[in-house]
Amino acid sequence: MPHLLLKDLPRYECLLECSKHFPGLDPSACEAFLYLLRAGDEAFRVIDAHFQAHDLSQGRFTVLMLLFEKPSGQPHALTPAQLAEQSGVTRATMTGLVDTLERDGMVTRRPDPVDRRQLSVELTPRGLEFLQSLLPEHFRRISALLSPLDENERRTFVALLGKVAACASETFPAPVHGAPAHT
Amino acid sequence: MPHLLLKDLPRYECLLECSKHFPGLDPSACEAFLYLLRAGDEAFRVIDAHFQAHDLSQGRFTVLMLLFEKPSGQPHALTPAQLAEQSGVTRATMTGLVDTLERDGMVTRRPDPVDRRQLSVELTPRGLEFLQSLLPEHFRRISALLSPLDENERRTFVALLGKVAACASETFPAPVHGAPAHT
DNA sequence: ACCTAATGATTAGGCCCCTAACAAAAGCAA
DNA sequence: TTGCTTTTGTTAGGGGCCTAATCATTAGGT
């Protein structure tokens, strides 16, 4: 589900032209911004096409990965609230994601004997098997996407992306999904 | 509407650890991939927050921009099919976008006297005024987002993003929205 | 104990985007 | 002209994500 975006990015000369009409328009910033959005979109599209072929969405994949046993070894059981917090969606959305994953037999909900409000979401053997069958192609696509960049360029790339992302979350902080904590 | 994504990106050491369990996992590629998605998400979020404050979506904004008179001077009138093609959504989606834009008085549909299948979509004076009142803050946010990068870094940034995007669309071509042209 | 506040999960309703199917109009072949 | 085929815009239905409201359970203050 790519963000709606211009099919053909405007040329830099066009942006220069536009900047004459809009004093606030920074041509090189706009160009970098558009390239960032388009590259992110393209990368997302490539990964999502693979997911869709297996009736998976980005959201469902993230949930499965969170429940996937870490290298440490022990399997993961998380509550819907924890899953929502760690994957950056609302609890309401997580309800829907777990609904479909449970319907497809990938995860199970279990009531918590201690706190009867909570549930415990776990990966089923079928979910584990599914994920493991999916990951090789997933990683292959990621490797292919980044193949035009050598190790040095990748370091530079990560550094630049990190700067922009940090600036975004500092200058325009994201609203907190849970309680606003208005202190 | 950010893509669902891990709140905290895994550390590079963790990716190295994971690569032992998955031979296909390329740690530096995964890191760059995750940074790209997150930076794209953050940038999108910053821009979208501004849009939402004015009851605008990325899709509706793109349509308004396509209808906005270019520096050349003459106003733009496009058919829904042209709008869909240039903004990368389906015609069905464009119908909905133009529906809401017309309801809000931003654009008008006019029948084409020559080809009675076609419509002509134009910006209304109100739509033009609205767009012009919106753009300064829009450009301000883009400038702010890219402010941590100097001109030199921006050129590098654009070059690296361009490489990745080009690789994505070549290695995994996007399906054509219109006729598949199965030759 | 009692009343209130906070927390967990869910439901209801909305927006954005998609695919598939459709009717109307235009183009084209025989 | 009559019959395909293509193109245009639309509708119908679905999925993903959101916010706001709801209900049950737990925790805290008195």
Side-chain angles (χ1 to χ4, degrees), chain A residues 172, chain B residues 47 50 54 132-143:
Chain A
F172 308 93
Chain B
I47 296 305
H50 176 219
H54 297 272
Q132 281 173 333
S133 74
L134 199 81
L135 286 178
E137 170 66 12
H138 181 64
F139 293 141
R140 200 184 69 77
R141 290 192 174 222
I142 292 179
S143 293

Side-chain angles (χ1 to χ4, degrees), chain A residues 59-60 89-90 92-93 97 115-117:
Chain A
R60 297 230 290 280
V89 297
T90 61
T93 297
L97 289 175
D115 189 334
R116 281 189 297 178
R117 290 171 302 182

Side-chain angles (χ1 to χ4, degrees), chain B residues 6-25:
Chain B
L6 265 27
K7 189 164 207 172
D8 301 302
L9 265 40
R11 302 171 173 282
Y12 188 68
E13 304 87 51
C14 179
L15 288 171
L16 271 178
E17 184 68 23
C18 289
S19 71
K20 295 173 187 166
H21 300 253
F22 288 96
L25 192 158

Side-chain angles (χ1 to χ4, degrees), chain B residues 57 59-60 88-90 92-93 97 114-117 177:
Chain B
S57 71
R60 296 229 292 278
V89 297
T90 61
T93 298
L97 289 175
V114 180
D115 188 335
R116 282 190 295 177
R117 291 171 303 181
H177 260 155

